[in-house]
Structures are given as C-alpha cells and as structure tokens.
PDB file of all heavy atoms in Angstrom:
ATOM      1  N   ILE A   1      12.023  14.873  -8.383  1.00  0.00           N
ATOM      2  CA  ILE A   1      11.375  13.562  -8.332  1.00  0.00           C
ATOM      3  C   ILE A   1      10.937  13.238  -6.918  1.00  0.00           C
ATOM      4  O   ILE A   1       9.864  12.640  -6.700  1.00  0.00           O
ATOM      5  CB  ILE A   1      12.341  12.468  -8.883  1.00  0.00           C
ATOM      6  CG1 ILE A   1      11.649  11.118  -8.924  1.00  0.00           C
ATOM      7  CG2 ILE A   1      13.627  12.415  -8.038  1.00  0.00           C
ATOM      8  CD1 ILE A   1      10.455  11.050  -9.835  1.00  0.00           C
ATOM      9  N   GLU A   2      11.725  13.635  -5.922  1.00  0.00           N
ATOM     10  CA  GLU A   2      11.349  13.378  -4.531  1.00  0.00           C
ATOM     11  C   GLU A   2      10.138  14.214  -4.138  1.00  0.00           C
ATOM     12  O   GLU A   2       9.246  13.728  -3.435  1.00  0.00           O
ATOM     13  CB  GLU A   2      12.525  13.704  -3.613  1.00  0.00           C
ATOM     14  CG  GLU A   2      13.740  12.784  -3.831  1.00  0.00           C
ATOM     15  CD  GLU A   2      14.946  13.290  -3.082  1.00  0.00           C
ATOM     16  OE1 GLU A   2      14.935  14.455  -2.620  1.00  0.00           O
ATOM     17  OE2 GLU A   2      15.897  12.508  -2.931  1.00  0.00           O
ATOM     18  N   GLU A   3      10.087  15.452  -4.587  1.00  0.00           N
ATOM     19  CA  GLU A   3       8.945  16.304  -4.299  1.00  0.00           C
ATOM     20  C   GLU A   3       7.678  15.759  -4.962  1.00  0.00           C
ATOM     21  O   GLU A   3       6.602  15.760  -4.375  1.00  0.00           O
ATOM     22  CB  GLU A   3       9.212  17.723  -4.783  1.00  0.00           C
ATOM     23  CG  GLU A   3       8.132  18.712  -4.397  1.00  0.00           C
ATOM     24  CD  GLU A   3       8.482  20.134  -4.821  1.00  0.00           C
ATOM     25  OE1 GLU A   3       9.589  20.353  -5.346  1.00  0.00           O
ATOM     26  OE2 GLU A   3       7.631  21.033  -4.619  1.00  0.00           O
ATOM     27  N   TYR A   4       7.829  15.265  -6.199  1.00  0.00           N
ATOM     28  CA  TYR A   4       6.701  14.665  -6.909  1.00  0.00           C
ATOM     29  C   TYR A   4       6.177  13.452  -6.152  1.00  0.00           C
ATOM     30  O   TYR A   4       4.955  13.308  -5.944  1.00  0.00           O
ATOM     31  CB  TYR A   4       7.141  14.264  -8.313  1.00  0.00           C
ATOM     32  CG  TYR A   4       6.172  13.328  -9.009  1.00  0.00           C
ATOM     33  CD1 TYR A   4       4.995  13.814  -9.580  1.00  0.00           C
ATOM     34  CD2 TYR A   4       6.444  11.977  -9.101  1.00  0.00           C
ATOM     35  CE1 TYR A   4       4.098  12.960 -10.212  1.00  0.00           C
ATOM     36  CE2 TYR A   4       5.566  11.112  -9.735  1.00  0.00           C
ATOM     37  CZ  TYR A   4       4.393  11.603 -10.292  1.00  0.00           C
ATOM     38  OH  TYR A   4       3.525  10.748 -10.909  1.00  0.00           O
ATOM     39  N   GLU A   5       7.086  12.580  -5.705  1.00  0.00           N
ATOM     40  CA  GLU A   5       6.664  11.370  -5.003  1.00  0.00           C
ATOM     41  C   GLU A   5       5.991  11.723  -3.686  1.00  0.00           C
ATOM     42  O   GLU A   5       5.015  11.060  -3.282  1.00  0.00           O
ATOM     43  CB  GLU A   5       7.874  10.468  -4.777  1.00  0.00           C
ATOM     44  CG  GLU A   5       8.423   9.865  -6.061  1.00  0.00           C
ATOM     45  CD  GLU A   5       9.671   9.049  -5.839  1.00  0.00           C
ATOM     46  OE1 GLU A   5      10.172   9.060  -4.682  1.00  0.00           O
ATOM     47  OE2 GLU A   5      10.155   8.408  -6.786  1.00  0.00           O
ATOM     48  N   SER A   6       6.489  12.750  -2.982  1.00  0.00           N
ATOM     49  CA  SER A   6       5.872  13.161  -1.737  1.00  0.00           C
ATOM     50  C   SER A   6       4.466  13.688  -1.941  1.00  0.00           C
ATOM     51  O   SER A   6       3.546  13.373  -1.171  1.00  0.00           O
ATOM     52  CB  SER A   6       6.738  14.247  -1.058  1.00  0.00           C
ATOM     53  OG  SER A   6       8.017  13.751  -0.725  1.00  0.00           O
ATOM     54  N   GLU A   7       4.277  14.477  -2.987  1.00  0.00           N
ATOM     55  CA  GLU A   7       2.940  15.011  -3.272  1.00  0.00           C
ATOM     56  C   GLU A   7       1.983  13.907  -3.705  1.00  0.00           C
ATOM     57  O   GLU A   7       0.802  13.935  -3.339  1.00  0.00           O
ATOM     58  CB  GLU A   7       3.052  16.093  -4.339  1.00  0.00           C
ATOM     59  CG  GLU A   7       3.778  17.354  -3.888  1.00  0.00           C
ATOM     60  CD  GLU A   7       3.816  18.422  -4.948  1.00  0.00           C
ATOM     61  OE1 GLU A   7       3.288  18.182  -6.068  1.00  0.00           O
ATOM     62  OE2 GLU A   7       4.360  19.514  -4.675  1.00  0.00           O
ATOM     63  N   MET A   8       2.475  12.958  -4.476  1.00  0.00           N
ATOM     64  CA  MET A   8       1.636  11.849  -4.890  1.00  0.00           C
ATOM     65  C   MET A   8       1.225  11.014  -3.661  1.00  0.00           C
ATOM     66  O   MET A   8       0.088  10.576  -3.553  1.00  0.00           O
ATOM     67  CB  MET A   8       2.357  10.969  -5.890  1.00  0.00           C
ATOM     68  CG  MET A   8       2.596  11.640  -7.236  1.00  0.00           C
ATOM     69  SD  MET A   8       1.072  12.085  -8.102  1.00  0.00           S
ATOM     70  CE  MET A   8       0.450  10.474  -8.535  1.00  0.00           C
ATOM     71  N   TYR A   9       2.153  10.837  -2.741  1.00  0.00           N
ATOM     72  CA  TYR A   9       1.855  10.076  -1.535  1.00  0.00           C
ATOM     73  C   TYR A   9       0.811  10.820  -0.690  1.00  0.00           C
ATOM     74  O   TYR A   9      -0.089  10.223  -0.126  1.00  0.00           O
ATOM     75  CB  TYR A   9       3.126   9.856  -0.737  1.00  0.00           C
ATOM     76  CG  TYR A   9       2.911   9.111   0.553  1.00  0.00           C
ATOM     77  CD1 TYR A   9       2.612   7.743   0.557  1.00  0.00           C
ATOM     78  CD2 TYR A   9       2.988   9.771   1.780  1.00  0.00           C
ATOM     79  CE1 TYR A   9       2.403   7.068   1.730  1.00  0.00           C
ATOM     80  CE2 TYR A   9       2.780   9.090   2.965  1.00  0.00           C
ATOM     81  CZ  TYR A   9       2.493   7.732   2.933  1.00  0.00           C
ATOM     82  OH  TYR A   9       2.276   7.057   4.102  1.00  0.00           O
ATOM     83  N   ALA A  10       0.962  12.152  -0.607  1.00  0.00           N
ATOM     84  CA  ALA A  10       0.017  12.944   0.197  1.00  0.00           C
ATOM     85  C   ALA A  10      -1.384  12.923  -0.406  1.00  0.00           C
ATOM     86  O   ALA A  10      -2.387  13.092   0.304  1.00  0.00           O
ATOM     87  CB  ALA A  10       0.517  14.378   0.306  1.00  0.00           C
ATOM     88  N   ALA A  11      -1.465  12.694  -1.736  1.00  0.00           N
ATOM     89  CA  ALA A  11      -2.768  12.699  -2.407  1.00  0.00           C
ATOM     90  C   ALA A  11      -3.481  11.355  -2.335  1.00  0.00           C
ATOM     91  O   ALA A  11      -4.627  11.238  -2.751  1.00  0.00           O
ATOM     92  CB  ALA A  11      -2.603  13.097  -3.872  1.00  0.00           C
ATOM     93  N   LEU A  12      -2.815  10.346  -1.796  1.00  0.00           N
ATOM     94  CA  LEU A  12      -3.434   9.025  -1.744  1.00  0.00           C
ATOM     95  C   LEU A  12      -4.581   8.999  -0.772  1.00  0.00           C
ATOM     96  O   LEU A  12      -4.567   9.690   0.260  1.00  0.00           O
ATOM     97  CB  LEU A  12      -2.395   7.961  -1.318  1.00  0.00           C
ATOM     98  CG  LEU A  12      -1.266   7.694  -2.316  1.00  0.00           C
ATOM     99  CD1 LEU A  12      -0.261   6.741  -1.690  1.00  0.00           C
ATOM    100  CD2 LEU A  12      -1.832   7.106  -3.596  1.00  0.00           C
ATOM    101  N   PRO A  13      -5.613   8.180  -1.049  1.00  0.00           N
ATOM    102  CA  PRO A  13      -6.705   8.038  -0.085  1.00  0.00           C
ATOM    103  C   PRO A  13      -6.217   7.377   1.191  1.00  0.00           C
ATOM    104  O   PRO A  13      -5.347   6.502   1.177  1.00  0.00           O
ATOM    105  CB  PRO A  13      -7.713   7.141  -0.835  1.00  0.00           C
ATOM    106  CG  PRO A  13      -6.907   6.418  -1.850  1.00  0.00           C
ATOM    107  CD  PRO A  13      -5.821   7.379  -2.253  1.00  0.00           C
ATOM    108  N   VAL A  14      -6.754   7.793   2.314  1.00  0.00           N
ATOM    109  CA  VAL A  14      -6.337   7.263   3.597  1.00  0.00           C
ATOM    110  C   VAL A  14      -6.876   5.854   3.768  1.00  0.00           C
ATOM    111  O   VAL A  14      -8.051   5.586   3.544  1.00  0.00           O
ATOM    112  CB  VAL A  14      -6.827   8.157   4.750  1.00  0.00           C
ATOM    113  CG1 VAL A  14      -6.451   7.565   6.095  1.00  0.00           C
ATOM    114  CG2 VAL A  14      -6.262   9.562   4.589  1.00  0.00           C
ATOM    115  N   GLU A  15      -5.998   4.937   4.176  1.00  0.00           N
ATOM    116  CA  GLU A  15      -6.398   3.558   4.406  1.00  0.00           C
ATOM    117  C   GLU A  15      -6.574   3.373   5.919  1.00  0.00           C
ATOM    118  O   GLU A  15      -5.613   3.293   6.674  1.00  0.00           O
ATOM    119  CB  GLU A  15      -5.322   2.604   3.886  1.00  0.00           C
ATOM    120  CG  GLU A  15      -5.249   2.548   2.370  1.00  0.00           C
ATOM    121  CD  GLU A  15      -6.505   1.933   1.795  1.00  0.00           C
ATOM    122  OE1 GLU A  15      -6.995   0.933   2.358  1.00  0.00           O
ATOM    123  OE2 GLU A  15      -6.993   2.445   0.790  1.00  0.00           O
ATOM    124  N   GLU A  16      -7.818   3.336   6.367  1.00  0.00           N
ATOM    125  CA  GLU A  16      -8.069   3.246   7.795  1.00  0.00           C
ATOM    126  C   GLU A  16      -7.520   1.973   8.401  1.00  0.00           C
ATOM    127  O   GLU A  16      -6.956   1.976   9.480  1.00  0.00           O
ATOM    128  CB  GLU A  16      -9.566   3.359   8.052  1.00  0.00           C
ATOM    129  CG  GLU A  16     -10.173   4.686   7.623  1.00  0.00           C
ATOM    130  CD  GLU A  16     -11.664   4.722   7.862  1.00  0.00           C
ATOM    131  OE1 GLU A  16     -12.216   3.689   8.306  1.00  0.00           O
ATOM    132  OE2 GLU A  16     -12.273   5.767   7.600  1.00  0.00           O
ATOM    133  N   GLU A  17      -7.674   0.842   7.666  1.00  0.00           N
ATOM    134  CA  GLU A  17      -7.232  -0.417   8.223  1.00  0.00           C
ATOM    135  C   GLU A  17      -5.709  -0.510   8.285  1.00  0.00           C
ATOM    136  O   GLU A  17      -5.170  -1.387   8.928  1.00  0.00           O
ATOM    137  CB  GLU A  17      -7.789  -1.583   7.418  1.00  0.00           C
ATOM    138  CG  GLU A  17      -7.366  -1.583   5.960  1.00  0.00           C
ATOM    139  CD  GLU A  17      -8.363  -0.836   5.091  1.00  0.00           C
ATOM    140  OE1 GLU A  17      -8.940   0.153   5.583  1.00  0.00           O
ATOM    141  OE2 GLU A  17      -8.565  -1.266   3.952  1.00  0.00           O
ATOM    142  N   GLU A  18      -5.015   0.422   7.571  1.00  0.00           N
ATOM    143  CA  GLU A  18      -3.559   0.406   7.577  1.00  0.00           C
ATOM    144  C   GLU A  18      -2.991   1.405   8.562  1.00  0.00           C
ATOM    145  O   GLU A  18      -1.781   1.555   8.687  1.00  0.00           O
ATOM    146  CB  GLU A  18      -3.034   0.748   6.179  1.00  0.00           C
ATOM    147  CG  GLU A  18      -3.325  -0.299   5.124  1.00  0.00           C
ATOM    148  CD  GLU A  18      -2.518  -1.561   5.329  1.00  0.00           C
ATOM    149  OE1 GLU A  18      -1.369  -1.454   5.751  1.00  0.00           O
ATOM    150  OE2 GLU A  18      -3.065  -2.659   5.108  1.00  0.00           O
ATOM    151  N   GLY A  19      -3.851   2.090   9.284  1.00  0.00           N
ATOM    152  CA  GLY A  19      -3.379   3.176  10.131  1.00  0.00           C
ATOM    153  C   GLY A  19      -2.393   2.725  11.166  1.00  0.00           C
ATOM    154  O   GLY A  19      -1.406   3.406  11.478  1.00  0.00           O
ATOM    155  N   ALA A  20      -2.594   1.584  11.772  1.00  0.00           N
ATOM    156  CA  ALA A  20      -1.689   1.132  12.835  1.00  0.00           C
ATOM    157  C   ALA A  20      -0.334   0.723  12.272  1.00  0.00           C
ATOM    158  O   ALA A  20       0.691   0.873  12.921  1.00  0.00           O
ATOM    159  CB  ALA A  20      -2.316  -0.045  13.571  1.00  0.00           C
ATOM    160  N   GLU A  21      -0.325   0.202  11.015  1.00  0.00           N
ATOM    161  CA  GLU A  21       0.923  -0.253  10.445  1.00  0.00           C
ATOM    162  C   GLU A  21       1.720   0.882   9.819  1.00  0.00           C
ATOM    163  O   GLU A  21       2.944   0.837   9.770  1.00  0.00           O
ATOM    164  CB  GLU A  21       0.621  -1.324   9.371  1.00  0.00           C
ATOM    165  CG  GLU A  21      -0.105  -2.535   9.956  1.00  0.00           C
ATOM    166  CD  GLU A  21      -0.444  -3.520   8.853  1.00  0.00           C
ATOM    167  OE1 GLU A  21       0.075  -3.353   7.728  1.00  0.00           O
ATOM    168  OE2 GLU A  21      -1.209  -4.455   9.109  1.00  0.00           O
ATOM    169  N   GLY A  22       1.015   1.863   9.290  1.00  0.00           N
ATOM    170  CA  GLY A  22       1.695   2.996   8.675  1.00  0.00           C
ATOM    171  C   GLY A  22       2.145   2.745   7.249  1.00  0.00           C
ATOM    172  O   GLY A  22       2.874   3.545   6.679  1.00  0.00           O
ATOM    173  N   GLY A  23       1.779   1.624   6.651  1.00  0.00           N
ATOM    174  CA  GLY A  23       2.129   1.371   5.253  1.00  0.00           C
ATOM    175  C   GLY A  23       3.614   1.078   5.124  1.00  0.00           C
ATOM    176  O   GLY A  23       4.275   0.588   6.013  1.00  0.00           O
ATOM    177  N   GLY A  24       4.153   1.445   3.949  1.00  0.00           N
ATOM    178  CA  GLY A  24       5.585   1.342   3.745  1.00  0.00           C
ATOM    179  C   GLY A  24       6.018   0.170   2.887  1.00  0.00           C
ATOM    180  O   GLY A  24       7.170  -0.227   2.925  1.00  0.00           O
ATOM    181  N   GLY A  25       5.142  -0.416   2.094  1.00  0.00           N
ATOM    182  CA  GLY A  25       5.578  -1.413   1.148  1.00  0.00           C
ATOM    183  C   GLY A  25       5.508  -2.826   1.685  1.00  0.00           C
ATOM    184  O   GLY A  25       5.173  -3.097   2.819  1.00  0.00           O
ATOM    185  N   ILE A  26       5.869  -3.766   0.833  1.00  0.00           N
ATOM    186  CA  ILE A  26       5.729  -5.164   1.184  1.00  0.00           C
ATOM    187  C   ILE A  26       6.949  -5.950   0.731  1.00  0.00           C
ATOM    188  O   ILE A  26       7.752  -5.492  -0.080  1.00  0.00           O
ATOM    189  CB  ILE A  26       4.487  -5.780   0.504  1.00  0.00           C
ATOM    190  CG1 ILE A  26       4.631  -5.710  -1.012  1.00  0.00           C
ATOM    191  CG2 ILE A  26       3.207  -5.130   0.962  1.00  0.00           C
ATOM    192  CD1 ILE A  26       3.555  -6.419  -1.761  1.00  0.00           C
ATOM    193  N   SER A  27       7.098  -7.092   1.269  1.00  0.00           N
ATOM    194  CA  SER A  27       8.061  -8.072   0.778  1.00  0.00           C
ATOM    195  C   SER A  27       7.311  -9.375   0.588  1.00  0.00           C
ATOM    196  O   SER A  27       6.872  -9.992   1.556  1.00  0.00           O
ATOM    197  CB  SER A  27       9.222  -8.253   1.770  1.00  0.00           C
ATOM    198  OG  SER A  27      10.065  -9.289   1.349  1.00  0.00           O
ATOM    199  N   ILE A  28       7.125  -9.763  -0.654  1.00  0.00           N
ATOM    200  CA  ILE A  28       6.286 -10.923  -0.958  1.00  0.00           C
ATOM    201  C   ILE A  28       6.805 -12.181  -0.292  1.00  0.00           C
ATOM    202  O   ILE A  28       6.060 -13.081   0.052  1.00  0.00           O
ATOM    203  CB  ILE A  28       6.173 -11.097  -2.482  1.00  0.00           C
ATOM    204  CG1 ILE A  28       5.459  -9.902  -3.084  1.00  0.00           C
ATOM    205  CG2 ILE A  28       5.471 -12.388  -2.855  1.00  0.00           C
ATOM    206  CD1 ILE A  28       5.370  -9.928  -4.585  1.00  0.00           C
ATOM    207  N   GLU A  29       8.113 -12.216  -0.067  1.00  0.00           N
ATOM    208  CA  GLU A  29       8.702 -13.423   0.504  1.00  0.00           C
ATOM    209  C   GLU A  29       8.450 -13.549   2.007  1.00  0.00           C
ATOM    210  O   GLU A  29       8.507 -14.650   2.555  1.00  0.00           O
ATOM    211  CB  GLU A  29      10.217 -13.445   0.245  1.00  0.00           C
ATOM    212  CG  GLU A  29      10.605 -13.578  -1.220  1.00  0.00           C
ATOM    213  CD  GLU A  29      10.481 -12.288  -1.981  1.00  0.00           C
ATOM    214  OE1 GLU A  29      10.242 -11.245  -1.333  1.00  0.00           O
ATOM    215  OE2 GLU A  29      10.598 -12.281  -3.208  1.00  0.00           O
ATOM    216  N   THR A  30       8.223 -12.423   2.703  1.00  0.00           N
ATOM    217  CA  THR A  30       8.159 -12.481   4.159  1.00  0.00           C
ATOM    218  C   THR A  30       6.796 -12.226   4.746  1.00  0.00           C
ATOM    219  O   THR A  30       6.547 -12.566   5.904  1.00  0.00           O
ATOM    220  CB  THR A  30       9.135 -11.435   4.747  1.00  0.00           C
ATOM    221  OG1 THR A  30       8.771 -10.136   4.283  1.00  0.00           O
ATOM    222  CG2 THR A  30      10.569 -11.724   4.308  1.00  0.00           C
ATOM    223  N   VAL A  31       5.875 -11.606   3.996  1.00  0.00           N
ATOM    224  CA  VAL A  31       4.580 -11.290   4.575  1.00  0.00           C
ATOM    225  C   VAL A  31       3.732 -12.538   4.758  1.00  0.00           C
ATOM    226  O   VAL A  31       3.916 -13.537   4.067  1.00  0.00           O
ATOM    227  CB  VAL A  31       3.805 -10.277   3.695  1.00  0.00           C
ATOM    228  CG1 VAL A  31       4.508  -8.950   3.663  1.00  0.00           C
ATOM    229  CG2 VAL A  31       3.632 -10.826   2.282  1.00  0.00           C
ATOM    230  N   LYS A  32       2.817 -12.507   5.697  1.00  0.00           N
ATOM    231  CA  LYS A  32       1.957 -13.638   5.982  1.00  0.00           C
ATOM    232  C   LYS A  32       0.703 -13.646   5.096  1.00  0.00           C
ATOM    233  O   LYS A  32       0.126 -14.691   4.878  1.00  0.00           O
ATOM    234  CB  LYS A  32       1.551 -13.621   7.465  1.00  0.00           C
ATOM    235  CG  LYS A  32       2.726 -13.761   8.421  1.00  0.00           C
ATOM    236  CD  LYS A  32       2.255 -13.719   9.866  1.00  0.00           C
ATOM    237  CE  LYS A  32       3.419 -13.853  10.823  1.00  0.00           C
ATOM    238  NZ  LYS A  32       2.997 -13.790  12.245  1.00  0.00           N
ATOM    239  N   VAL A  33       0.312 -12.481   4.616  1.00  0.00           N
ATOM    240  CA  VAL A  33      -0.852 -12.401   3.754  1.00  0.00           C
ATOM    241  C   VAL A  33      -0.520 -13.057   2.423  1.00  0.00           C
ATOM    242  O   VAL A  33       0.590 -12.935   1.899  1.00  0.00           O
ATOM    243  CB  VAL A  33      -1.270 -10.933   3.553  1.00  0.00           C
ATOM    244  CG1 VAL A  33      -2.500 -10.849   2.628  1.00  0.00           C
ATOM    245  CG2 VAL A  33      -1.569 -10.283   4.889  1.00  0.00           C
ATOM    246  N   ASP A  34      -1.495 -13.748   1.861  1.00  0.00           N
ATOM    247  CA  ASP A  34      -1.287 -14.391   0.548  1.00  0.00           C
ATOM    248  C   ASP A  34      -1.443 -13.369  -0.552  1.00  0.00           C
ATOM    249  O   ASP A  34      -2.569 -13.072  -0.984  1.00  0.00           O
ATOM    250  CB  ASP A  34      -2.274 -15.550   0.400  1.00  0.00           C
ATOM    251  CG  ASP A  34      -1.998 -16.354  -0.878  1.00  0.00           C
ATOM    252  OD1 ASP A  34      -1.003 -16.038  -1.552  1.00  0.00           O
ATOM    253  OD2 ASP A  34      -2.777 -17.271  -1.172  1.00  0.00           O
ATOM    254  N   TYR A  35      -0.344 -12.862  -1.025  1.00  0.00           N
ATOM    255  CA  TYR A  35      -0.379 -11.861  -2.094  1.00  0.00           C
ATOM    256  C   TYR A  35      -0.315 -12.496  -3.459  1.00  0.00           C
ATOM    257  O   TYR A  35      -0.190 -11.792  -4.459  1.00  0.00           O
ATOM    258  CB  TYR A  35       0.775 -10.870  -1.931  1.00  0.00           C
ATOM    259  CG  TYR A  35       0.587  -9.897  -0.800  1.00  0.00           C
ATOM    260  CD1 TYR A  35       1.287 -10.053   0.396  1.00  0.00           C
ATOM    261  CD2 TYR A  35      -0.295  -8.841  -0.911  1.00  0.00           C
ATOM    262  CE1 TYR A  35       1.115  -9.172   1.443  1.00  0.00           C
ATOM    263  CE2 TYR A  35      -0.479  -7.946   0.132  1.00  0.00           C
ATOM    264  CZ  TYR A  35       0.224  -8.115   1.302  1.00  0.00           C
ATOM    265  OH  TYR A  35       0.034  -7.243   2.325  1.00  0.00           O
ATOM    266  N   SER A  36      -0.396 -13.819  -3.520  1.00  0.00           N
ATOM    267  CA  SER A  36      -0.335 -14.486  -4.826  1.00  0.00           C
ATOM    268  C   SER A  36      -1.690 -14.578  -5.500  1.00  0.00           C
ATOM    269  O   SER A  36      -1.774 -14.990  -6.652  1.00  0.00           O
ATOM    270  CB  SER A  36       0.245 -15.898  -4.653  1.00  0.00           C
ATOM    271  OG  SER A  36      -0.628 -16.689  -3.841  1.00  0.00           O
ATOM    272  N   VAL A  37      -2.742 -14.170  -4.800  1.00  0.00           N
ATOM    273  CA  VAL A  37      -4.080 -14.204  -5.370  1.00  0.00           C
ATOM    274  C   VAL A  37      -4.718 -12.821  -5.257  1.00  0.00           C
ATOM    275  O   VAL A  37      -4.507 -12.111  -4.272  1.00  0.00           O
ATOM    276  CB  VAL A  37      -4.974 -15.261  -4.656  1.00  0.00           C
ATOM    277  CG1 VAL A  37      -4.440 -16.661  -4.921  1.00  0.00           C
ATOM    278  CG2 VAL A  37      -5.044 -15.000  -3.175  1.00  0.00           C
ATOM    279  N   PRO A  38      -5.473 -12.405  -6.239  1.00  0.00           N
ATOM    280  CA  PRO A  38      -6.109 -11.078  -6.201  1.00  0.00           C
ATOM    281  C   PRO A  38      -7.278 -11.040  -5.225  1.00  0.00           C
ATOM    282  O   PRO A  38      -7.898 -12.065  -4.923  1.00  0.00           O
ATOM    283  CB  PRO A  38      -6.577 -10.860  -7.639  1.00  0.00           C
ATOM    284  CG  PRO A  38      -6.766 -12.241  -8.185  1.00  0.00           C
ATOM    285  CD  PRO A  38      -5.735 -13.093  -7.520  1.00  0.00           C
ATOM    286  N   LEU A  39      -7.565  -9.848  -4.746  1.00  0.00           N
ATOM    287  CA  LEU A  39      -8.730  -9.619  -3.917  1.00  0.00           C
ATOM    288  C   LEU A  39      -9.972  -9.586  -4.821  1.00  0.00           C
ATOM    289  O   LEU A  39      -9.935  -9.072  -5.942  1.00  0.00           O
ATOM    290  CB  LEU A  39      -8.593  -8.297  -3.182  1.00  0.00           C
ATOM    291  CG  LEU A  39      -7.412  -8.209  -2.201  1.00  0.00           C
ATOM    292  CD1 LEU A  39      -7.200  -6.757  -1.777  1.00  0.00           C
ATOM    293  CD2 LEU A  39      -7.634  -9.087  -0.992  1.00  0.00           C
ATOM    294  N   LEU A  40     -11.077 -10.076  -4.313  1.00  0.00           N
ATOM    295  CA  LEU A  40     -12.299 -10.164  -5.110  1.00  0.00           C
ATOM    296  C   LEU A  40     -13.418  -9.254  -4.588  1.00  0.00           C
ATOM    297  O   LEU A  40     -14.400  -9.020  -5.286  1.00  0.00           O
ATOM    298  CB  LEU A  40     -12.792 -11.608  -5.171  1.00  0.00           C
ATOM    299  CG  LEU A  40     -11.805 -12.630  -5.780  1.00  0.00           C
ATOM    300  CD1 LEU A  40     -12.394 -14.026  -5.732  1.00  0.00           C
ATOM    301  CD2 LEU A  40     -11.422 -12.244  -7.207  1.00  0.00           C
ATOM    302  N   GLY A  41     -13.276  -8.779  -3.358  1.00  0.00           N
ATOM    303  CA  GLY A  41     -14.319  -7.947  -2.787  1.00  0.00           C
ATOM    304  C   GLY A  41     -14.466  -6.620  -3.500  1.00  0.00           C
ATOM    305  O   GLY A  41     -13.463  -5.981  -3.878  1.00  0.00           O
ATOM    306  N   GLN A  42     -15.699  -6.174  -3.683  1.00  0.00           N
ATOM    307  CA  GLN A  42     -15.933  -4.940  -4.429  1.00  0.00           C
ATOM    308  C   GLN A  42     -15.348  -3.732  -3.726  1.00  0.00           C
ATOM    309  O   GLN A  42     -14.861  -2.805  -4.370  1.00  0.00           O
ATOM    310  CB  GLN A  42     -17.451  -4.740  -4.635  1.00  0.00           C
ATOM    311  CG  GLN A  42     -17.775  -3.624  -5.603  1.00  0.00           C
ATOM    312  CD  GLN A  42     -17.201  -3.859  -6.968  1.00  0.00           C
ATOM    313  OE1 GLN A  42     -17.299  -4.959  -7.525  1.00  0.00           O
ATOM    314  NE2 GLN A  42     -16.571  -2.824  -7.527  1.00  0.00           N
ATOM    315  N   ALA A  43     -15.370  -3.737  -2.396  1.00  0.00           N
ATOM    316  CA  ALA A  43     -14.802  -2.611  -1.650  1.00  0.00           C
ATOM    317  C   ALA A  43     -13.321  -2.468  -1.916  1.00  0.00           C
ATOM    318  O   ALA A  43     -12.791  -1.366  -2.129  1.00  0.00           O
ATOM    319  CB  ALA A  43     -15.068  -2.773  -0.152  1.00  0.00           C
TER     320      ALA A  43
END
C-alpha cells in the first residue's frame, strides 16, 4: 500500500504554484484560504 501511494504521488501533475510550499495536505480549521467554497476558474 505504501509503494502504491508513492507511485500515485509520483504520477501527479506538478503544481508550480505549490512548489515553494511542497504540498502535504491541509487542515481546514487552520488554513487562511477559504476552503468552504469551490474554485470556479476553468484552469
């Protein structure tokens, strides 16, 4: 299962805007971004 998750992670598209943060999940209670509403931009 760990090998599967690693390969799935390696196959993800690179997020350029996330490069400095390095990803790693979220905590809805602590983040400043409003995750309670969906994104509407086509990109």
Side-chain angles (χ1 to χ4, degrees):
I1 184 62
E2 295 170 345
E3 186 176 356
Y4 166 77
E5 291 176 354
S6 297
E7 292 182 359
M8 292 297 291
Y9 178 73
L12 292 175
V14 177
E15 289 293 319
E16 297 178 358
E17 60 269 34
E18 292 290 324
E21 299 177 12
I26 62 173
S27 174
I28 295 177
E29 294 78 8
T30 60
V31 294
K32 297 179 180 179
V33 179
D34 186 4
Y35 287 104
S36 64
V37 294
L39 298 167
L40 301 178
Q42 191 59 47

